[in-house]
């Protein structure tokens, strides 16, 4: 406690206040020597809990903001969140254990009735496992909202926590720009931490160039209004940042405080978005995600229908392959559209687009510096990070020689590229973590790297179509 009081007097005051009010033993406090700002809590019971933060929290946050982060973590302790989540996760794992055991016995010999019962039990247990997994994730997100609310009530400073979340994102982004490899602390505590580092790029980028809350707020449009945001959040332990800031702004209004972020303006702008474009693109993208499967099944149906009027058995095998190939090609054309007229832009502008999609690639040109390897790999990772005047973005590389080519590129080329000022051409995509599928890296001396995301899609799609045609033609002669 003495070290915390020295670094943040307001935090020590909040800890004593909460522990006295809730008749809680002061948790064991720890500070990790890491400049990536984060905080997390673990333990078995509230009176034996441990609250740990990183040194980076004190570097990037002001005193009152640090206090709200500690209050958030104290909220997890008061609400027994680690115990609740442990029990919930255990129940889900029990369902999976029942499923795997019943499936194994259901495949063995013996009484057919017992085998049928085991197979039914396995199916039911698996359904409970899948549903339970999503319920646990929902429970985790709900506990984060409750902890945010607890921090707002116990400190009377919901705006401080809003600022803290944005600054934590900024700090993670800044630290990521100074190292060539991802932080083990941030990676290892993703589910436990106060903030999902995967979501840091967009919010941190907005704060990097200006603390203007209107510019930060525009990045939140995707979180709150894009259907992909809702879809991606289903698989996350944390709510999207925009939704957390919106809830904290509501708490501020309830306390009669001016809001730090004008979320009313953001909500107003969100209501003017083209809903048919948002949802139309989303549902079309969902269909396109399964284009290969849909093409194969449609081809199979057509092949069976044609077989009824033709003796050519190749139709049943060839037409589904043609459908599969067409599905792959159509999906590739949507994911990787023509990039020859890609506009010059910056990272913040890309991240402020509320219509951005993880599937529908948006051609773009960026000017910046390569600052390290991307999140996808470590020592031999082939992905890169580019930084321009507005922020940082991951560049996803794809070799024409597949995984082996990616490994060799990461081993032999990436290190020599770090520090280069480049022009990057690629397809921007937005998920919880934004990224760009790289097409080319260019310098003043010309193109230095080519990336081949479309290459294998067209090879596989075209090959499948050709194989299907050959099968039909070959079997029609036999």
């Amino acid at each position: 406690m003495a070290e915390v009081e020295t670094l943040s007097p307001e935090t020590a005051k909040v800890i004593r206040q909460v522990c006295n009010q809730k008749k809680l033993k002061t948790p064991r406090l720890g500070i990790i020597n890491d400049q990536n700002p984060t905080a997390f809590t673990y333990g078995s019971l509230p009176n034996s809990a441990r609250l740990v933060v990183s040194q980076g929290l004190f570097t990037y946050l002001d005193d009152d903001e640090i206090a709200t982060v500690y209050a958030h973590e104290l909220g997890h302790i008061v609400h027994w969140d680690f115990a609740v989540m442990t029990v919930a996760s255990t129940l889900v794992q029990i369902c999976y254990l029942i499923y795997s055991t019943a499936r194994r016995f259901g495949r063995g010999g013996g009484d057919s009735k017992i085998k049928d019962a085991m197979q039914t039990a396995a199916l039911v247990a698996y359904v409970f496992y899948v549903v339970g997994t999503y319920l646990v994730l929902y429970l985790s997100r709900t506990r984060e909202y409750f902890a945010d609310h607890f921090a707002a009530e116990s400190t009377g400073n919901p705006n401080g926590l809003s600022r803290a979340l944005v600054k934590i994102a900024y700090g993670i982004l800044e630290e990521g720009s100074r190292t060539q490899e991802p932080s083990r602390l941030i990676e290892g505590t993703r589910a436990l931490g106060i903030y999902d580092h995967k979501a840091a790029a967009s919010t941190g980028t907005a704060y990097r160039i200006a603390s203007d809350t209107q510019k930060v707020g525009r990045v939140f449009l995707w979180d709150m209004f894009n259907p992909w945001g809702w879809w991606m959040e289903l698989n996350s332990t944390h709510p999207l940042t925009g939704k957390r800031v919106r809830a904290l702004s509501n708490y501020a209004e309830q306390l009669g405080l001016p809001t730090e972020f004008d979320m009313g303006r953001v909500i107003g702008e969100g209501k003017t978005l083209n809903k048919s474009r948002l949802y139309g693109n989303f549902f079309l993208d969902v269909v396109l995600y399964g284009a290969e499967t849909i093409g194969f099944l449609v081809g199979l149906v057509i092949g069976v229908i044609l077989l009824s009027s033709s003796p050519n058995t190749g139709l049943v095998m060839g037409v589904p392959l043609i459908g599969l190939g067409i599905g792959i090609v159509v999906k590739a054309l949507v994911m990787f559209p023509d990039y020859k007229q890609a506009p010059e832009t910056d990272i913040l502008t890309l991240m402020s687009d509320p219509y951005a999609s993880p599937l529908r690639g948006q051609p773009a040109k960026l000017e910046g510096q390569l600052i390290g390897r991307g999140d996808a790999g470590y020592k031999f990772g082939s992905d890169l990070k580019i930084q321009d005047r507005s922020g940082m973005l991951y560049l996803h590389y794809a070799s024409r020689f597949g995984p082996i080519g990616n490994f060799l590129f990461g081993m032999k080329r990436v290190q020599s590229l770090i520090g280069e000022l480049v022009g990057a051409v690629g397809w921007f995509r937005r998920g919880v973590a934004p990224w760009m599928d790289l097409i080319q890296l260019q310098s003043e001396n010309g193109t230095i790297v080519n990336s081949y995301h479309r290459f294998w899609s067209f090879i596989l799609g075209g090959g499948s179509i050709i194989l299907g045609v050959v099968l039909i033609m070959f079997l029609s002669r036999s």
Side-chain angles (χ1 to χ4, degrees):
M1 177 68 85
E3 184 178 7
V4 171
E5 189 161 18
T6 301
L7 293 169
S8 174
E10 180 69 19
T11 296
K13 177 182 175 183
V14 166
I15 292 173
R16 292 193 184 97
Q17 172 190 322
V18 171
C19 291
N20 289 336
Q21 288 178 351
K22 302 298 179 180
K23 295 180 171 48
L24 186 71
K25 180 181 176 182
T26 301
R28 288 180 295 170
L29 305 176
I31 300 176
I32 298 175
N33 185 23
D34 191 302
Q35 286 300 316
N36 287 276
T38 190
F40 57 92
T41 302
Y42 65 93
S44 54
L45 296 171
N47 282 324
S48 62
R50 182 140 196 173
L51 198 167
V52 181
V53 305
S54 65
Q55 188 67 45
L57 205 69
F58 302 96
T59 301
Y60 287 97
L61 273 61
D62 294 333
D63 191 23
D64 66 321
E65 295 159 357
I66 296 167
T68 62
V69 171
Y70 270 87
H72 171 97
E73 296 304 324
L74 288 170
H76 283 309
I77 295 173
V78 169
H79 297 148
W80 289 58
D81 283 347
F82 39 78
V84 170
M85 294 305 301
T86 299
V87 171
S89 299
T90 301
L91 290 174
V92 171
Q93 292 306 311
I94 289 173
C95 289
Y96 186 80
L97 180 62
I98 294 172
Y99 156 71
S100 59
T101 304
R103 186 182 64 170
R104 186 170 62 253
F105 281 110
R107 288 176 174 176
D111 193 319
S112 60
K113 290 184 178 180
I114 295 178
K115 287 175 61 179
D116 291 343
M118 288 294 102
Q119 290 171 358
T120 302
L123 177 62
V124 172
Y126 187 75
V127 169
F128 273 96
Y129 166 71
V130 173
V131 173
T133 298
Y134 283 97
L135 287 176
V136 167
L137 290 171
Y138 174 76
L139 180 62
S140 177
R141 294 193 297 272
T142 302
R143 307 313 293 180
E144 291 298 326
Y145 280 124
F146 285 164
D148 285 350
H149 193 186
F150 181 88
E153 285 189 327
S154 58
T155 64
N157 187 15
N159 288 321
L161 185 54
S162 291
R163 291 195 305 273
L165 292 174
V166 172
K167 287 185 177 181
I168 286 172
Y170 168 71
I172 292 172
L173 195 70
E174 281 292 293
E175 293 304 313
S177 70
R178 294 172 184 166
T179 179
Q180 297 179 12
E181 297 182 3
S183 163
R184 293 182 180 180
L185 172 65
I186 295 296
E187 292 279 352
T189 60
R190 181 181 179 189
L192 291 174
I194 187 173
Y195 195 93
D196 183 353
H197 73 279
K198 295 286 186 181
S202 54
T203 304
T205 289
Y207 187 82
R208 178 196 285 271
I209 65 168
S211 56
D212 183 345
T213 56
Q214 186 173 347
K215 290 183 178 179
V216 177
R218 277 198 56 81
V219 174
F220 294 152
L221 281 170
W222 192 90
D223 290 1
M224 294 187 291
F225 293 99
N226 192 302
W228 278 114
W230 170 82
W231 184 261
M232 298 289 181
E233 193 181 52
L234 287 178
N235 295 294
S236 175
T237 56
H238 290 67
L240 295 175
T241 309
K243 295 183 178 180
R244 294 177 73 176
V245 172
R246 179 183 181 183
L248 288 165
S249 295
N250 289 338
Y251 300 151
E253 291 176 354
Q254 292 168 14
L255 294 172
L257 300 172
T259 56
E260 185 77 18
F261 296 89
D262 190 359
M263 298 305 289
R265 181 190 295 272
V266 176
I267 299 299
E269 186 172 351
K271 290 179 179 178
T272 66
L273 296 176
N274 187 327
K275 299 299 188 294
S276 61
R277 181 182 171 189
L278 276 174
Y279 289 92
N281 287 350
F282 171 71
F283 289 119
L284 180 59
D285 286 355
V286 169
V287 172
L288 286 170
Y289 257 115
E292 309 98 319
T293 304
I294 294 171
F296 181 84
L297 293 176
V298 170
L300 183 61
V301 171
I302 293 174
V304 171
I305 293 172
L306 292 176
L307 184 63
S308 64
S309 59
S310 170
N312 184 0
T313 56
L315 293 169
V316 179
M317 292 183 287
V319 177
L321 287 175
I322 293 172
L324 174 66
I326 292 173
I328 293 173
V329 171
V330 169
K331 182 176 179 179
L333 289 173
V334 175
M335 290 186 69
F336 310 110
D338 180 54
Y339 61 88
K340 292 182 176 59
Q341 303 300 322
E344 295 184 5
T345 184
D346 58 52
I347 293 170
L348 179 60
T349 300
L350 291 172
M351 291 184 180
S352 299
D353 180 7
Y355 300 103
S357 160
L359 183 135
R360 197 179 299 270
Q362 181 178 340
K365 290 181 180 179
L366 297 173
E367 298 286 336
Q369 183 179 28
L370 298 177
I371 58 173
R373 296 181 190 267
D375 186 63
Y378 296 111
K379 189 173 182 180
F380 299 124
S382 60
D383 292 352
L384 292 156
K385 291 186 291 189
I386 187 172
Q387 179 176 302
D388 70 2
R389 60 184 177 82
S390 70
M392 186 265 289
L393 188 68
Y394 294 110
L395 301 177
H396 181 43
Y397 171 82
S399 168
R400 73 172 78 186
F401 302 110
I404 294 176
N406 290 346
F407 175 79
L408 292 175
F409 176 77
M411 182 174 67
K412 295 184 176 181
R413 293 288 309 278
V414 168
Q415 191 63 40
S416 64
L417 294 173
I418 294 173
E420 289 272 358
L421 294 174
V422 298
V425 181
W427 295 283
F428 173 77
R429 306 188 192 283
R430 176 76 190 267
V432 172
W435 77 98
M436 175 182 278
D437 284 335
L438 187 63
I439 301 168
Q440 289 181 338
L441 283 177
Q442 301 173 328
S443 68
E444 293 181 354
N445 300 323
T447 300
I448 56 176
V449 171
N450 287 304
S451 180
Y452 300 89
H453 285 279
R454 292 193 301 187
F455 179 78
W456 282 107
S457 294
F458 287 123
I459 290 292
L460 292 174
S464 181
I465 293 171
I466 292 170
L467 180 60
V469 172
V470 169
L471 279 173
I472 293 172
M473 294 176 64
F474 177 77
L475 292 177
S476 67
R477 298 172 184 173
S478 57

